[in-house]
Amino acid sequence: MGKDVVLSVRDMEVTFGARRKKFVAVNGVSFDVYQGETFGLVGESGSGKTTIGRAIIRVNPTSRGDVFFKGQRINGRISRELDRKVISEIQMVFQDPMASLNDRAKVDYIVSEGLRNINKSLSAKERRAKVGQMLSEVGLLPEFASRFPHEFSGGQRQRIGIARALIMEPSFIIADEPISALDVSIRAQVLNHLSKLQKERNLTTIFISHDLAVVRFITDRIAVLHKGVLVELAETETLFNNPLHPYTRALLSAVPLPNPIKEKQKVLTIYNPLQHDYSTDKPMWVEIEPNHFVHGNAAELEKYRAITDGKCSD
């Protein structure tokens, strides 16, 4: 794509538990995120999207693989200086607005906590001013800074979480379902604000969502996850216009259509994992066409190439 790679994930594995209770949540995932782009991670609940995001910001430890940010390895044991750099430059908007905020702290402290720890040269007056400005930018009144999180609705709490991340002026944002708890009236405002910040600050974003309509609107490329395995990755319009993996096709077939007549006539594609026979012919992660990657064995890849070349329709 001719762009600088900001984040590089290589063969990432994240496990929970041990021995007989070991559960592999993310299995051998690899992808690059380019400077200034919005990279989408999609998949059904439990596919590993949030786990990948939390592993990148070092909340979840990786059991295998590497995560590089601006050329430096940031997973595993790292120096205190690099850890501070990761905290300052990579911020995450968490999915659950009810669990991600400290109910015992006022909004002013919650939003400015990162500034207190990283930018200690700011005076109390300057911090309060930045908090008020950021609350306004996400659609909240500056005077809300003196209140506690339990006084707000779920959508308002999510906007507080967004303000907490953006006030750090990071270069990289991981947005985990950032608008799922918001009213329809505020969703476009938050999405437009994120897009505006991205252009103004050359911000790079990983956008995690199950809402494919929103993902199509905001992302440059999309990676599709199924049970911790990356099954397809392509530029957004390529993925929507030419989905190759059966799971991707099933996901896209479930996207609601604005036309009620077409929606009623729509036929859903059901994905059956048993259709893959990987007993002897093992799957690979292959670039099937420029910037379009797919997971499959030799027989499946031959079929995908035929679809890409227009030799068959399925």
Side-chain angles (χ1 to χ4, degrees), residues 149-166:
H150 68 264
E151 300 179 60
F152 298 94
S153 67
Q156 289 174 319
R157 290 169 69 113
Q158 184 66 295
R159 279 177 269 172
I160 294 170
I162 294 170
R164 176 178 60 183
L166 296 181

Side-chain angles (χ1 to χ4, degrees), residues 172-225:
F172 197 103
I173 286 280
I174 300 172
D176 185 8
E177 303 274 11
I179 62 171
S180 61
L182 301 181
D183 296 332
V184 175
S185 60
I186 200 70
R187 288 186 178 187
Q189 179 183 337
V190 173
L191 287 175
N192 288 334
H193 181 63
L194 287 173
S195 298
K196 177 186 174 185
L197 278 173
Q198 185 172 16
K199 293 175 183 177
E200 291 177 350
R201 307 179 186 181
N202 199 22
L203 194 65
T204 308
T205 307
I206 290 182
F207 193 89
I208 299 170
S209 181
H210 66 273
D211 190 334
L212 289 169
V214 171
V215 170
R216 187 174 192 177
F217 167 74
I218 200 171
T219 61
D220 299 297
R221 291 186 301 144
I222 297 176
V224 182
L225 278 163

Side-chain angles (χ1 to χ4, degrees), residues 2 5 15 39 95 116-117 148 199 232 260:
V5 175
T15 59
F39 183 87
Q95 180 177 3
R116 293 170 186 267
N117 294 329
F148 290 92
K199 293 175 183 177
E232 193 162 358

Side-chain angles (χ1 to χ4, degrees), residues 23-290:
F23 173 70
V24 180
V26 177
N27 189 3
V29 167
S30 298
F31 60 85
D32 292 328
V33 181
Y34 299 105
Q35 176 69 45
E37 79 166 337
T38 299
F39 183 87
L41 271 177
V42 303
E44 60 192 315
S45 297
S47 60
K49 309 183 299 296
T50 297
T51 302
I52 290 175
R54 292 168 70 92
I56 292 171
I57 62 166
R58 300 173 51 77
V59 173
N60 292 334
T62 56
S63 51
R64 191 183 74 224
D66 298 300
V67 180
F68 295 95
F69 179 66
K70 295 183 177 179
Q72 292 181 290
R73 185 175 184 267
I74 62 171
N75 62 319
R77 299 187 65 177
I78 61 176
S79 67
R80 181 176 296 181
E81 292 76 16
L82 182 55
D83 188 48
R84 287 174 63 87
K85 178 184 177 182
V86 172
I87 293 171
S88 178
E89 294 200 37
I90 305 178
Q91 286 290 308
M92 186 167 186
V93 179
F94 293 93
Q95 180 177 3
D96 186 355
M98 308 305 287
S100 61
L101 303 181
N102 182 359
D103 264 332
R104 297 185 178 185
K106 290 184 178 180
V107 170
D108 175 74
Y109 180 84
I110 292 170
V111 175
S112 66
E113 184 176 8
L115 291 177
R116 293 170 186 267
N117 294 329
I118 300 298
N119 192 351
K120 296 182 179 180
S121 62
L122 283 176
S123 67
K125 183 178 179 180
E126 288 172 326
R127 280 200 306 269
R128 285 194 297 268
K130 289 180 74 71
V131 169
Q133 179 185 353
M134 189 53 62
L135 290 176
S136 296
E137 289 191 20
V138 297
L140 297 173
L141 297 174
E143 49 263 38
F144 286 177
S146 61
R147 297 185 183 180
F148 290 92
H150 68 264
E151 300 179 60
F152 298 94
S153 67
Q156 289 174 319
R157 290 169 69 113
Q158 184 66 295
R159 279 177 269 172
I160 294 170
I162 294 170
R164 176 178 60 183
L166 296 181
I167 200 170
M168 297 292 292
E169 299 185 1
S171 63
F172 197 103
I173 286 280
I174 300 172
D176 185 8
E177 303 274 11
I179 62 171
S180 61
L182 301 181
D183 296 332
V184 175
S185 60
I186 200 70
R187 288 186 178 187
Q189 179 183 337
V190 173
L191 287 175
N192 288 334
H193 181 63
L194 287 173
S195 298
K196 177 186 174 185
L197 278 173
Q198 185 172 16
K199 293 175 183 177
E200 291 177 350
R201 307 179 186 181
N202 199 22
L203 194 65
T204 308
T205 307
I206 290 182
F207 193 89
I208 299 170
S209 181
H210 66 273
D211 190 334
L212 289 169
V214 171
V215 170
R216 187 174 192 177
F217 167 74
I218 200 171
T219 61
D220 299 297
R221 291 186 301 144
I222 297 176
V224 182
L225 278 163
H226 178 253
K227 293 187 176 180
V229 176
L230 207 58
V231 297
E232 193 162 358
L233 190 162
E235 293 178 4
T236 300
E237 288 307 309
T238 300
L239 192 81
F240 274 82
N241 295 326
N242 186 31
L244 297 177
H245 197 277
Y247 179 69
T248 306
R249 294 187 171 201
L251 276 184
L252 295 180
S253 75
V255 177
L257 300 175
N259 187 319
I261 297 175
K262 291 184 178 180
E263 176 66 22
K264 189 175 181 180
Q265 296 172 343
K266 183 177 68 177
V267 178
L268 290 175
T269 301
I270 307 300
Y271 175 64
N272 181 9
L274 298 178
Q275 67 185 277
H276 305 288
D277 182 9
Y278 295 151
S279 56
T280 54
D281 191 2
K282 300 299 182 183
M284 300 168 284
W285 181 243
V286 174
E287 187 173 16
I288 207 77
E289 60 178 336

Side-chain angles (χ1 to χ4, degrees), residues 296-314:
N297 59 21
E300 291 172 336
L301 293 173
E302 184 179 351
K303 179 182 175 183
Y304 299 152
R305 288 192 181 94
I307 295 173
T308 303
D309 294 339
K311 297 176 182 178
C312 66
S313 58
D314 188 18

